[in-house]
Amino acid sequence: MKPAFRSFSTKLSLYIICVTGVVFVASFMLFFESAKRVVISEAFSHANSEVAKTSSQIVAALTQVEQSVKNAVLFVESNLARPDSLIVIITNMLQANPLIDGASIAFEPGYYPSKGTYFMPYVHREGMEIRAKILGSVLYDYFYMDWYLIPKLLKQDYWSEPYYDEGGGEMIMTTYTHRLTGADGELYGVVTADVKLDRFTTLVNATKPYARSHTFMLSRNGYYLSHCEPEKVLNETIFSPTVVGEADTMAVYIGRQMMSGAQGIAAWTDKGAPAYVFHAPIHNTRWSIATVIPDSDVLEGLYTMTWTVATAALAGILLLFGFTTIVIRKVSAPLRSFSQSVRMVASGNFDVPLPSVSSKDELGELHHAFQFMQSSLKNYIGELKETTAKKQQIESELQIARTIQMGMVPKIFPPFPKRSDIDLFAVLNPAKEVGGDLYDFFVVDNRLYFTIGDVSGKGVPASLLMAVTRSLFRSASSHIDHPSGIVKSINNSISETNDAGMFVTLFVGIIDLATGHFSYCNAGHNPPVIIVMPGYVNFMELKTNIVVGIFDGYNYEGGECFLNCGDTIFLYTDGVTEAQSRQWKLYGEARLIEALKANAGDDPKTLIHKIIDDVAVHVHDAEPSDDLTILAIQYKAARQRETITIRNRITDIPSLASWIELLAKHWSIGREMEADLQLAVEEAVVNVISYAYPENETGAIDIALEMTDGALIVEITDSGIAFDPTGVPQADVTLPVDERPIGGLGLFLISHVVDSVTYRRQEGKNILEIRMNSRV
Amino acid sequence: MNDKLKMKILRYAVVAWTMIPFFAAAQKLTFTPQWTPQSQFAGYYAAAEKGFYRQAGLDVDIVHFSTSLNAVEMLKSGVSDIITCNLMEAMKQRDAGLPLVNILQTSMQSSMLIISHTPLDKGWLSLNGKRVGRWRAGYSAIASLVSREQELQIEWVDFLSGINLFMSGAVDATIAMSYNELFSIMETGTNVAENQLIRFADSGYNIPEDGVYVTESFFLKNREAVVRFAEATRKGWLWVKDHPEEATDIVMSVVRKHKIPTNRHHQRMMLAEILRLQCLPGETEPAFTLPEIQWDYLNALLLETGDIHKKIEYRNFIKQ
């Protein structure tokens, strides 16, 4: 069972739910916004009417007070002549109007000379009673009080700024002043009415259109006359907090609006929460009332409805999710059977029955497609098996071919374990199973025949031509003793039947192991490197002929030289110098020379392995592009030394001569050189017989013959008296024979046929050394 | 009684005598500030609240003036021992026969200013022909002097207190204190630009205001206690300077106790301005002593206004 969230039905259901959800949320937001507008506009009219109602109630009460005073003023004016009766008028006013808490009639200084400077009849309520008294004294200097001074200066009736009542009571009062003016318009007194604000503040506090709304009232100077926080009342203005620096611009704006006597709505932040303020003026006193309604209050109903709808919608969506999941699961049930069948097909069971689908819908099509896929797969896998079997056969044949090819080249090293004059090592690494490179070598008559070659192309055709070339080399070498002849013979044989246009680069060499004589012929092959100790490493300078197999009858030219003991010939195919790194950089001849120089002292096997390692480092992980073949031959001509001892008798000379003849033949010394050798040795020995020993004394003469690198060294040792034949003046052959001094002639002969003659006396013996250099 | 014992008794007597301030009952003093509770008197409230008076061996009772008696009258009637008073008023009283002596000067600058509804771009001349409110209770003599000196035709309107007269528009301008009425006017939402103000301090009438006073006879009888009072008060003011918020809280608690209609914002601003006025212009530390160098000028000014009739000697008046 798959995890639920990964199943097709769940996914599809989720997509449906997501889209449904988005559609729902979008339409709900649309609904919410329009509903909000309606609710807010309803709230606005509701709050506005509440505020307006309160303000008009206050206005009505204040107007009633103003009217009461105006009525009283009529009586005052008509009773001015009887100052003591005036108090009755205001007492009646208090009785008539319960809103009025106190009243007075105050006159200008000395208006009634009989009453002195001050005259101010005053009545006020004390419980249920109305008490009267006459105010005005130095201590109650009413001329300078706001309620008297301001209307006097302003020349208009005046509602005073509210104040706490006398005696430090909690009651807030305001005083209405009506001016009494004479015919000239000059003020002679005022009639006042004190009104307690508690009626109004109660009214204002009761204005509560919403549960968390509150209403406050401001005086004309901005002081709170009523507020839900009582400590603000008369202590603080709406602007107070902003004067110290907490610039609440909203409060300032609303405060100014209210002070200006405007009616309106504004957005506000009430204790950090967004709110609306609805304000209306009270014209009589220039006060203003405002109701603050938190947004949340206005929108509470809307939010409740929103929650209900959202919950219902969520439940609906969940229901839809369950329903769609079940339906889709039912419809897609065959898909699960299909997936099981396909899994079985994938595991190789091509004959597994597919679930039966009879419908002609997408599932029916899927069924047909699976059926077709099943049969196609079956066929394809059958063909694939066949092809794979064939390929495996070819691969195994190629493996056999490789074994055979590798068997063709000598692979046992060291190849001549008994020989100390030659060290040889070779490696052939085909790039493919079989390759076109070849090498071969063998020794016949103390001569090393060897070859290295590279057939054009790669793979099986190249390997076949390689086999042919190697056979031709073997057969040609059996009857031809110089490399150019061998190459020519091979070339003729291949060219004759070379319709494929293939060719071979070939290097054939023959080393005379006795003398170090090295003859060779290069047919288009990479020039070998010669390593001469100590440390001379370079390509052999030789003539390069055309490659083998193209030009029938071509006359190949060879070359020759002598190898010294320790010289190494390093032969390789272009698999070495053209080995490529991943960046297609060739290994190159320069690097080969560097590598060889670095390892010049090594024996062929070590040397070849180091070069192969260096090539591998260069190639790194790149695929080998060509066969790689190396053949290294180190010539280590052993010193060949033979000795013979004769007596100081002329009669022993013939046996010496025949010994020399035998050696000369064995060492393949040329005839001419042999004759010279015979002459030089005979002369030197006769010299010793003649002068070394006293007459009739038998002495031994040791003759040693040494062949090194083609040079011959003869050492003649005797124990006779000291005699240096080289110290004897050479015979003056220009003199007549009888005039010549005895001796000197032998040495003359010797020095003519040899390269050097030296004498030394050592441990009581005379040692004469004759040296003949190679004649090649 | 041998000499040794005598010495011993003498030693104990000396120790006991030096301990007297600690054991003796604290001296009772009644102090009356010149106005209703507000930040103007924060230093005295703080000295009492923080125990500076008690530490000075004083039991100070702060009694505010009643509706019938002001601070000077309370001192005269013997209800109060120590009062605060405006410097000019104090000199006037001394001239009138009440021998007041200054034991501490808390104000170094004038707080008086004239505030107008309209810009006063021509300075004092802008007030020519205008109706300007001034306090009936005094302090306004200097304003009248200025108007005489500048030959201005100003219609002075005497009123009791507050800002209602000005705010109602019944006067064009009014005299106000920079630490009180100015802020009250600003609190009504009125924008007050600097060009609507004339500060007396900037007009060459930078006359120090509040100081602490006792009668000469009280000073002579209670010299030590008076000095301790002045010292503890000074300490109170310095504490207020370092703890303005805490000091405002102390003022607010006094204000609430006396049911004074005001708010903390107002009192906090007032305190800052009062502290500013305690320093000489350009200085940041209060001096607490009236500079003798101004004395002749002050006398001349008051002689001219007619508030005093003969010169008052500095050394007789200042007893610090």
Side-chain angles (χ1 to χ4, degrees):
Chain A
M1 192 68 191
K2 290 174 182 176
F5 64 87
R6 273 200 226 151
S7 89
F8 173 67
S9 54
T10 317
K11 264 189 199 166
L12 198 58
S13 308
L14 277 176
Y15 288 139
I16 292 170
I17 297 313
C18 284
V19 174
T20 316
V22 167
V23 170
F24 168 76
V25 168
S27 27
F28 187 76
M29 279 167 72
L30 216 67
F31 155 77
F32 183 82
E33 280 306 312
S34 49
K36 191 176 166 183
R37 271 199 292 278
V38 172
V39 168
I40 288 174
S41 115
E42 284 291 319
F44 278 14
S45 62
H46 175 51
N48 262 335
S49 72
E50 288 275 309
V51 173
K53 198 172 92 189
T54 306
S55 83
S56 62
Q57 278 174 325
I58 296 172
V59 167
L62 294 172
T63 310
Q64 211 183 327
V65 171
E66 288 173 9
Q67 197 53 52
S68 294
V69 173
K70 273 177 194 150
N71 294 341
V73 163
L74 294 175
F75 288 102
V76 170
E77 281 170 347
S78 56
N79 289 287
L80 279 176
R82 294 189 299 281
D84 294 327
S85 70
L86 294 175
I87 205 149
V88 180
I89 299 168
I90 50 178
T91 308
N92 289 342
M93 182 170 79
L94 249 67
Q95 278 167 345
N97 192 337
L99 291 173
I100 301 171
D101 199 60
S104 76
I105 306 167
F107 290 93
E108 276 284 272
Y111 182 76
Y112 292 107
S114 61
K115 302 288 182 191
T117 311
Y118 308 95
F119 184 60
M120 179 182 166
Y122 172 74
V123 291
H124 70 112
R125 294 178 197 277
E126 217 174 271
M128 298 300 286
E129 307 263 308
I130 294 171
R131 301 202 182 260
K133 59 181 162 186
I134 305 297
L135 291 176
S137 68
V138 179
L139 288 179
Y140 193 78
D141 208 354
Y142 63 79
F143 310 118
Y144 304 101
M145 291 181 174
D146 287 348
W147 58 264
Y148 191 93
L149 184 60
I150 293 172
K152 180 185 169 185
L153 290 171
L154 286 176
K155 293 185 168 47
Q156 56 184 255
D157 299 343
Y158 174 76
W159 281 97
S160 79
E161 184 73 8
Y163 53 91
Y164 280 112
D165 63 352
E166 295 278 332
E170 295 293 315
M171 201 58 72
I172 301 170
M173 312 272 290
T174 178
T175 300
Y176 175 70
T177 306
H178 187 94
R179 291 148 50 255
L180 298 170
T181 48
D184 54 356
E186 279 302 304
L187 178 131
Y188 61 84
V190 298
V191 178
T192 69
D194 301 335
V195 177
K196 283 184 178 173
L197 259 60
D198 56 346
R199 292 181 190 83
F200 307 133
T201 55
T202 310
L203 208 58
V204 168
N205 288 335
T207 308
K208 214 170 164 67
Y210 289 91
R212 273 162 297 188
S213 63
H214 65 92
T215 306
F216 62 86
M217 180 157 65
L218 296 183
S219 77
R220 89 182 74 193
N221 283 352
Y223 278 92
Y224 289 105
L225 298 179
S226 124
H227 194 275
C228 57
E229 296 166 42
E231 69 274 10
K232 286 189 172 178
V233 173
L234 276 202
N235 285 336
E236 218 173 281
T237 72
I238 191 169
F239 306 103
S240 291
T242 67
V243 176
V244 203
E246 304 166 39
D248 186 347
T249 49
M250 268 193 289
V252 172
Y253 170 75
I254 290 164
R256 295 246 161 87
Q257 283 291 306
M258 291 172 74
M259 296 301 92
S260 72
Q263 177 164 7
I265 303 167
W268 202 11
T269 308
D270 186 44
K271 294 177 197 116
Y276 293 104
V277 177
F278 303 84
H279 56 89
I282 293 161
H283 299 295
N284 316 52
T285 50
R286 286 173 56 199
W287 300 341
S288 182
I289 65 169
T291 293
V292 181
I293 305 174
D295 274 15
S296 56
D297 256 28
V298 173
L299 300 172
E300 197 169 28
L302 185 64
Y303 287 143
T304 313
M305 188 173 68
T306 305
W307 276 116
T308 315
V309 173
T311 313
L314 192 70
I317 287 174
L318 285 176
L319 214 67
L320 185 65
F321 177 71
F323 180 70
T324 47
T325 308
I326 291 165
V327 169
I328 294 167
R329 194 165 285 174
K330 198 171 175 190
V331 170
S332 66
L335 282 178
R336 273 198 289 280
S337 313
F338 269 129
S339 74
Q340 278 161 10
S341 303
V342 170
R343 201 180 292 278
M344 289 177 81
V345 170
S347 64
N349 185 359
F350 298 114
D351 298 320
V352 70
L354 289 176
S356 63
V357 175
S358 52
S359 63
K360 289 190 164 49
D361 56 9
E362 287 86 344
L363 278 173
E365 279 176 31
L366 188 65
H367 183 258
H368 288 310
F370 270 134
Q371 256 180 343
F372 181 69
M373 185 192 79
Q374 200 175 16
S375 63
S376 299
L377 266 178
K378 208 166 154 184
N379 292 341
Y380 176 72
I381 294 295
E383 282 167 17
L384 193 65
K385 269 184 186 163
E386 213 171 297
T387 314
T388 309
K390 277 181 190 162
K391 195 170 170 237
Q392 274 170 351
Q393 193 183 350
I394 292 170
E395 270 171 8
S396 82
E397 282 172 3
L398 271 174
Q399 199 54 46
I400 294 164
R402 178 188 164 90
T403 315
I404 294 170
Q405 191 188 31
M406 287 295 114
M408 283 177 189
V409 297
K411 277 219 308 294
I412 296 163
F413 297 101
F416 314 114
K418 288 183 181 168
R419 297 199 73 105
S420 58
D421 51 358
I422 191 84
D423 190 0
L424 185 150
F425 192 76
V427 160
L428 194 165
N429 289 339
K432 297 188 172 178
E433 278 78 1
V434 289
D437 278 9
L438 73 137
Y439 70 81
D440 196 12
F441 55 83
F442 57 89
V443 173
V444 172
D445 294 341
N446 208 28
R447 282 149 68 96
L448 172 73
Y449 288 75
F450 63 91
T451 185
I452 185 165
D454 182 3
V455 178
S456 65
K458 288 186 221 16
V460 176
S463 74
L464 289 175
L465 185 54
M466 171 259 175
V468 169
T469 308
R470 188 254 172 195
S471 304
L472 289 170
F473 169 69
R474 283 271 167 147
S475 65
S477 309
S478 64
H479 59 91
I480 303 170
D481 64 355
H482 57 280
S484 52
I486 294 169
V487 172
K488 195 174 174 183
S489 162
I490 296 170
N491 178 48
N492 289 344
S493 300
I494 293 174
S495 322
E496 223 174 326
T497 55
N498 185 12
D499 296 331
M502 298 178 74
F503 59 86
V504 189
T505 68
L506 206 61
F507 184 95
V508 174
I510 300 170
I511 299 172
D512 187 327
L513 297 172
T515 60
H517 178 250
F518 173 37
S519 54
Y520 50 80
C521 178
N522 184 15
H525 196 77
N526 304 56
V529 179
I530 180 105
I531 302 167
V532 179
M533 289 309 295
Y536 172 82
V537 178
N538 217 335
F539 292 105
M540 281 179 75
E541 286 174 14
L542 38 75
K543 178 174 171 57
T544 301
N545 300 283
I546 64 162
V547 294
V548 168
I550 289 180
F551 192 9
D552 190 10
Y554 181 79
N555 200 15
Y556 285 86
E557 284 179 39
E560 58 181 350
C561 66
F562 267 92
L563 297 176
N564 289 319
C565 180
D567 289 357
T568 302
I569 307 163
F570 183 90
L571 301 112
Y572 58 94
T573 60
D574 54 9
V576 174
T577 49
E578 289 172 16
Q580 284 185 349
S581 69
R582 264 213 186 281
Q583 291 76 38
W584 296 285
K585 194 180 165 207
L586 298 183
Y587 181 72
E589 294 175 341
R591 179 154 176 184
L592 176 62
I593 293 293
E594 283 305 307
L596 288 172
K597 271 184 183 164
N599 303 291
D602 290 325
D603 62 89
K605 186 177 178 180
T606 314
L607 183 64
I608 286 177
H609 283 310
K610 283 186 176 168
I611 297 303
I612 286 175
D613 290 347
D614 193 42
V615 170
V617 166
H618 173 76
V619 169
H620 193 49
D621 54 351
E623 197 72 13
S625 55
D626 202 354
D627 304 344
L628 184 148
T629 303
I630 303 174
L631 172 61
I633 300 162
Q634 187 171 41
Y635 178 63
K636 300 201 289 188
R639 216 160 62 124
Q640 299 181 72
R641 186 185 171 102
E642 299 288 336
T643 53
I644 190 170
T645 304
I646 58 167
R647 293 168 302 171
N648 56 339
R649 296 285 178 271
I650 296 294
T651 51
D652 277 6
I653 287 181
S655 64
L656 175 65
S658 58
W659 179 74
I660 289 172
E661 190 183 339
L662 201 69
L663 276 182
K665 199 169 186 181
H666 181 65
W667 288 348
S668 309
I669 301 170
R671 281 239 162 258
E672 190 191 338
M673 194 175 176
E674 187 197 333
D676 289 347
L677 178 67
Q678 288 284 15
L679 177 64
V681 173
E682 196 179 319
E683 279 301 320
V685 169
V686 167
N687 232 0
V688 173
I689 292 170
S690 306
Y691 306 113
Y693 295 97
E695 218 155 331
N696 300 325
E697 188 181 321
T698 303
I701 304 168
D702 299 320
I703 298 112
L705 202 53
E706 194 181 303
M707 178 84 168
T708 306
D709 299 340
L712 275 173
I713 295 160
V714 185
E715 211 173 76
I716 299 162
T717 310
D718 67 80
S719 309
I721 55 168
F723 173 69
D724 178 8
T726 60
V728 178
Q730 289 200 0
D732 185 359
V733 290
T734 57
L735 289 176
V737 176
D738 52 336
E739 288 178 25
R740 294 175 202 166
I742 293 166
L745 187 62
L747 195 69
F748 168 77
L749 284 171
I750 294 168
S751 60
H752 256 272
V753 296
V754 304
D755 293 298
S756 71
V757 181
T758 53
Y759 166 82
R760 66 181 188 272
R761 181 80 182 173
Q762 193 176 324
E763 293 163 3
K765 288 179 178 177
N766 297 310
I767 301 167
L768 188 73
E769 195 183 281
I770 299 166
R771 185 181 174 90
M772 296 174 77
N773 286 340
S774 164
R775 295 289 168 92
V776 180
Chain B
M1 204 186 277
N2 58 32
D3 284 354
K4 234 176 181 179
L5 191 63
K6 273 183 195 164
M7 282 305 291
K8 212 169 182 178
I9 291 169
L10 191 64
R11 261 211 309 272
Y12 283 129
V14 169
V15 169
W17 182 77
T18 55
M19 298 287 277
I20 283 171
F22 297 94
F23 296 115
Q27 178 162 1
K28 240 180 132 51
L29 286 176
T30 304
F31 167 76
T32 300
Q34 83 237 51
W35 197 247
T36 53
Q38 54 186 0
S39 291
Q40 189 181 359
F41 313 115
Y44 312 99
Y45 304 142
E49 177 76 21
K50 290 281 141 190
F52 299 154
Y53 290 138
R54 212 165 41 249
Q55 285 163 22
L58 301 173
D59 176 10
V60 176
D61 190 12
I62 300 178
V63 177
H64 287 88
F65 68 86
S66 66
T67 43
S68 51
L69 295 175
N70 65 28
V72 174
E73 285 160 346
M74 283 171 82
L75 188 76
K76 259 190 213 165
S77 64
V79 176
S80 301
D81 305 317
I82 305 175
I83 60 166
T84 68
C85 190
N86 182 288
L87 174 61
M88 279 164 67
E89 176 69 16
M91 289 172 78
K92 204 167 136 185
Q93 290 291 343
R94 190 178 171 94
D95 184 75
L98 180 66
L100 290 179
V101 292
N102 177 305
I103 59 165
L104 189 75
Q105 183 64 26
T106 56
S107 156
M108 289 295 136
Q109 297 200 55
S110 168
S111 74
M112 283 227 286
L113 47 80
I114 285 180
I115 176 167
S116 156
H117 287 295
T118 52
L120 302 169
D121 290 327
K122 285 188 276 179
W124 286 97
L125 282 176
S126 307
L127 293 172
N128 213 0
K130 294 283 171 69
R131 193 186 262 178
V132 182
R134 69 176 176 194
W135 300 297
R136 180 166 161 68
Y139 315 127
S140 307
I142 194 77
S144 316
L145 174 73
V146 175
S147 92
R148 272 209 307 282
E149 279 186 350
Q150 309 252 355
E151 295 178 346
L152 301 172
Q153 296 301 311
I154 293 177
E155 184 192 337
W156 293 105
V157 176
D158 290 341
F159 70 104
L160 294 182
S161 66
I163 59 165
N164 290 336
L165 180 74
F166 178 72
M167 289 308 297
S168 74
V171 290
D172 301 309
T174 188
I175 286 185
M177 301 283 196
S178 67
Y179 56 80
N180 194 2
E181 289 84 3
L182 177 61
F183 295 136
S184 295
I185 289 166
M186 285 159 72
E187 276 185 85
T188 66
T190 309
N191 285 327
V192 181
E194 196 59 34
N195 68 356
Q196 284 169 256
L197 305 176
I198 295 175
R199 294 180 189 269
F200 282 58
D202 298 339
S203 305
Y205 305 99
N206 197 6
I207 298 162
E209 295 176 349
D210 296 358
V212 184
Y213 294 88
V214 295
T215 60
E216 216 158 53
S217 57
F218 186 84
F219 180 74
L220 291 173
K221 267 185 261 170
N222 302 281
R223 186 184 190 116
E224 197 203 338
V226 167
V227 168
R228 285 210 302 268
F229 178 86
E231 192 47 48
T233 302
R234 185 194 291 247
K235 206 169 153 190
W237 276 117
L238 291 173
W239 182 88
V240 167
K241 185 170 183 279
D242 291 338
H243 306 85
E245 298 301 334
E246 225 181 302
T248 309
D249 292 338
I250 293 172
V251 170
M252 286 310 290
S253 69
V254 180
V255 156
R256 274 193 281 271
K257 204 171 114 193
H258 288 82
K259 295 184 177 155
I260 304 297
T262 186
N263 61 76
R264 196 182 187 284
H265 308 294
H266 186 88
Q267 294 303 325
R268 179 66 185 86
M269 286 192 293
M270 181 187 288
L271 183 62
E273 178 67 3
I274 285 289
L275 291 173
R276 183 183 77 80
L277 295 170
Q278 287 193 344
C279 307
L280 285 163
E283 298 203 354
T284 55
E285 293 301 324
F288 293 122
T289 306
L290 197 64
E292 196 169 359
I293 198 160
Q294 286 192 341
W295 194 248
D296 288 342
Y297 167 71
L298 260 175
N299 269 299
L301 208 63
L302 290 191
L303 282 168
E304 196 184 336
T305 59
D307 285 324
I308 60 173
H309 302 90
K310 65 176 202 297
K311 194 186 171 197
I312 297 168
E313 289 301 323
Y314 181 81
R315 64 174 192 283
N316 293 339
F317 188 73
I318 307 293
K319 297 286 183 191
Q320 292 185 26

